[in-house]
C-alpha cells in the first residue's frame, strides 16, 4: 500500500501548473482570512507550510520580514520558486519538507501559516506539535482548511467522497476536533471563523479525466444519498442540469503559542 | 543570478535549518551541494535546483 506521503507527492507533482493557475487557490476568502488573522506588523519571521505554488507565501511576503515556504512535493516548490523570481519577491526562501518533520530549529518563527492542506497530512497531531516547536513563545499559528460538519454521519460521508476522488486525501476533521487538538498542543485559540470555498461544478471537481467513470458514478451516488437539508445546509448544493454546484465548509483558526 | 541555481541558499535559511531526524545543526558543504547534519545522525540532505530537500527518507545515511 502506498504511503500518504507517496500519494500526496504523486498527486501534486503532476499538477504544479494547474495549482499555479488555479483561481480557487490564488485568491478567495481563505487567503483573506489568513491575512486578516495573521495581521502582520512587518517584522515577522514567517513559515508557510504546504505552500503549494506559493500563493499564501507571496501574499504574506510584502507584509513580513521574511517567509520560508515549504512543501512535501519538490515540483510544487520548484514552481513556487520560479513564480517568486518572476514576481521579484526577494524575502522568500524555499525548502522541501514534510509538515510532520519540520527541518527548523526550535523557536525559529513568529508566524506559521497553512492554508487548504492539512486534510492531506498523515499525522495532524504531529504536525501541530511541530508548529508549536518551531514557533517562539507568543508566536501565532494561522490555519484554514476544509472541515467536516459536526456529525459522525457527515464526517464519515465527507471523508468517504473526498478519498474516493483523491487518494491523497487523509482526513477532514470537524471544527470541534481541530479546537481540541490545537488546545491540547499548547496553543491558546484567539479567533475562529467559518467560511466556504467558492461554489464548484461537480463535473469539474470530480476530475473525470483522472477518475474512471465508475468512481465518478459512485461519488455522484453518494451525493444523491444526502438529504435535501444536508445537501443545502452543509454543501450549498444547487442543481444545474446534468451538473450541480456545491461548496465545502471551511474553518479558520488563529492561535497563540502560550506554553 | 546563476541559471542553474534559481535560489542561492540564503544565510537566513541556513541559520534556522535543522535536521528533521535528530534536530542537529546543518552545515552547507558547497562542493558537494549537500546539507550535512552535524548532530547525532549525520544524514546528508540533497540540494536540488538550489532548494534544500529536507526529507528524512531522501537523505543519505553515513556509511557504517
Amino acid at each position: 500500500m502506498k504511503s500518504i506521503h507517496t500519494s500526496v507527492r504523486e498527486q501534486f507533482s503532476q499538477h504544479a501548473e494547474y495549482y499555479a493557475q488555479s483561481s480557487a487557490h490564488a485568491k478567495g476568502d481563505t487567503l483573506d482570512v489568513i491575512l486578516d488573522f495573521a495581521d502582520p506588523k512587518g517584522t515577522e519571521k514567517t513559515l508557510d507550510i504546504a505552500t503549494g505554488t506559493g500563493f499564501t507565501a507571496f501574499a504574506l511576503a510584502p507584509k513580513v520580514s521574511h517567509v520560508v515556504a515549504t512543501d512535501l512535493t519538490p515540483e510544487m516548490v520548484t514552481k513556487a520558486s520560479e513564480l517568486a523570481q518572476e514576481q521579484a519577491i526577494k524575502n522568500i526562501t524555499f525548502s522541501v519538507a514534510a509538515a510532520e518533520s519540520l527541518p527548523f530549529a526550535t523557536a525559529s518563527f513568529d508566524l506559521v501559516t497553512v492554508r487548504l492542506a492539512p486534510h492531506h497530512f498523515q499525522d495532524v497531531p504531529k504536525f501541530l506539535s511541530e508548529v508549536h516547536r518551531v514557533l517562539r513563545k507568543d508566536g501565532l499559528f494561522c490555519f484554514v482548511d476544509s472541515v467536516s460538519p459536526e456529525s459522525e454521519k457527515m464526517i464519515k460521508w465527507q471523508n468517504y467522497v473526498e478519498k474516493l476522488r483523491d487518494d491523497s486525501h487523509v482526513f477532514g476533521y470537524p471544527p470541534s476536533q481541530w479546537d481540541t487538538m490545537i488546545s491540547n498542543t499548547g496553543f491558546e485559540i484567539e479567533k475562529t471563523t467559518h467560511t466556504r470555498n467558492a461554489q464548484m461544478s461537480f463535473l469539474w471537481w470530480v476530475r473525470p479525466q483522472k477518475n474512471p467513470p465508475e468512481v465518478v458514478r459512485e461519488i455522484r451516488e453518494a451525493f444523491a444519498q444526502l438529504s435535501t437539508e444536508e445537501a443545502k445546509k452543509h454543501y450549498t448544493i444547487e442543481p444545474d442540469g446534468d451538473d450541480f454546484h456545491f461548496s465545502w465548509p471551511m474553518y479558520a483558526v488563529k492561535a497563540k503559542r502560550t506554553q | 543570478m546563476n541559471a542553474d541555481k534559481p535560489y542561492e541558499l540564503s544565510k537566513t535559511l541556513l541559520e534556522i535549518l535543522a535536521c528533521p531526524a535528530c534536530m542537529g545543526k546543518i552545515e552547507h558543504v558547497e562542493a558537494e551541494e549537500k546539507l550535512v547534519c552535524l548532530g547525532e545522525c549525520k544524514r546528508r540532505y540533497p540540494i536540488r535546483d538550489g532548494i534544500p530537500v529536507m526529507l528524512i527518507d531522501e537523505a543519505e545515511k553515513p556509511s557504517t
Side-chain angles (χ1 to χ4, degrees), chain B residues 2-61:
Chain B
N2 184 331
D4 294 331
K5 291 184 192 175
Y7 273 85
E8 297 291 337
L9 273 190
S10 82
K11 199 176 162 213
T12 314
L13 185 59
L14 271 174
E15 278 173 1
I16 59 170
L17 273 180
C19 173
C22 77
M23 286 294 113
K25 287 193 172 182
I26 292 289
E27 181 181 52
H28 183 199
V29 180
E30 290 187 39
E32 299 174 44
E33 279 298 86
K34 299 278 185 197
L35 292 164
V36 179
C37 170
L38 302 177
E40 287 174 20
C41 79
K42 313 289 183 202
R43 280 180 168 81
R44 299 159 67 82
Y45 296 90
I47 301 170
R48 295 186 191 132
D49 298 328
I51 297 168
V53 180
M54 303 300 288
L55 299 174
I56 296 169
D57 291 348
E58 298 209 7
E60 295 168 13
K61 290 182 188 169

Side-chain angles (χ1 to χ4, degrees), chain A:
Chain A
M1 192 176 166
K2 279 189 288 187
S3 76
I4 285 300
H5 279 177
T6 303
S7 293
V8 167
R9 289 179 63 167
E10 282 180 2
Q11 162 69 15
F12 289 99
S13 63
Q14 309 296 317
H15 299 291
E17 286 294 335
Y18 163 80
Y19 280 93
Q21 293 166 21
S22 164
S23 62
H25 288 80
K27 54 188 183 185
D29 287 350
T30 58
L31 183 53
D32 293 340
V33 167
I34 286 281
L35 296 175
D36 177 50
F37 277 13
D39 190 21
K41 305 292 182 277
T43 57
E44 291 86 354
K45 293 173 188 164
T46 301
L47 171 64
D48 185 44
I49 297 171
T51 197
T53 51
F55 292 120
T56 307
F58 299 165
L60 283 163
K63 302 171 187 291
V64 300
S65 166
H66 184 87
V67 183
V68 177
T70 65
D71 200 279
L72 180 65
T73 308
E75 289 82 356
M76 285 286 190
V77 182
T78 300
K79 186 68 195 174
S81 75
E82 289 169 6
L83 291 171
Q85 282 188 86
E86 285 172 24
Q87 296 176 34
I89 300 170
K90 303 290 184 195
N91 62 337
I92 190 166
T93 49
F94 297 92
S95 176
V96 177
E100 299 90 350
S101 304
L102 296 172
F104 305 109
T106 298
S108 292
F109 296 99
D110 306 296
L111 170 65
V112 175
T113 57
V114 63
R115 175 171 164 257
L116 306 180
H119 60 275
H120 294 290
F121 294 171
Q122 66 180 10
D123 189 336
V124 167
K126 197 171 176 202
F127 149 70
L128 289 171
S129 162
E130 280 290 84
V131 171
H132 186 270
R133 182 183 65 77
V134 302
L135 270 175
R136 66 162 172 80
K137 191 171 179 300
D138 295 326
L140 283 182
F141 168 50
C142 298
F143 109 100
V144 63
D145 196 17
S146 58
V147 288
S148 299
E150 298 281 357
S151 88
E152 283 302 319
K153 180 188 169 194
M154 298 315 302
I155 292 169
K156 203 172 161 188
W157 181 90
Q158 189 169 315
N159 283 292
Y160 168 72
V161 298
E162 285 270 50
K163 188 88 184 163
L164 261 182
R165 169 189 174 263
D166 171 6
D167 69 1
S168 72
H169 175 90
V170 177
F171 200 77
Y173 291 94
S176 61
Q177 287 186 31
W178 270 111
D179 289 353
T180 301
M181 290 188 291
I182 290 170
S183 299
N184 287 348
T185 310
F187 291 101
E188 184 179 298
I189 294 176
E190 293 196 334
K191 211 188 268 187
T192 65
T193 194
H194 296 265
T195 182
R196 312 195 69 85
N197 60 343
Q199 289 285 96
M200 302 174 289
S201 150
F202 171 80
L203 291 176
W204 168 82
W205 169 82
V206 79
R207 293 195 299 209
Q209 71 280 18
K210 181 170 186 287
N211 286 315
E214 59 272 22
V215 170
V216 172
R217 192 162 49 245
E218 204 173 339
I219 299 171
R220 190 189 269 278
E221 283 167 5
F223 271 93
Q225 285 165 11
L226 291 171
S227 72
T228 307
E229 190 199 345
E230 288 164 347
K232 273 195 175 171
K233 181 180 167 191
H234 299 310
Y235 305 116
T236 60
I237 290 176
E238 295 170 339
D240 181 17
D242 288 343
D243 196 3
F244 61 88
H245 291 76
F246 73 106
S247 65
W248 291 131
M250 301 269 162
Y251 187 56
V253 175
K254 173 182 185 176
K256 185 186 276 188
R257 177 185 170 170
T258 53
Q259 301 169 26

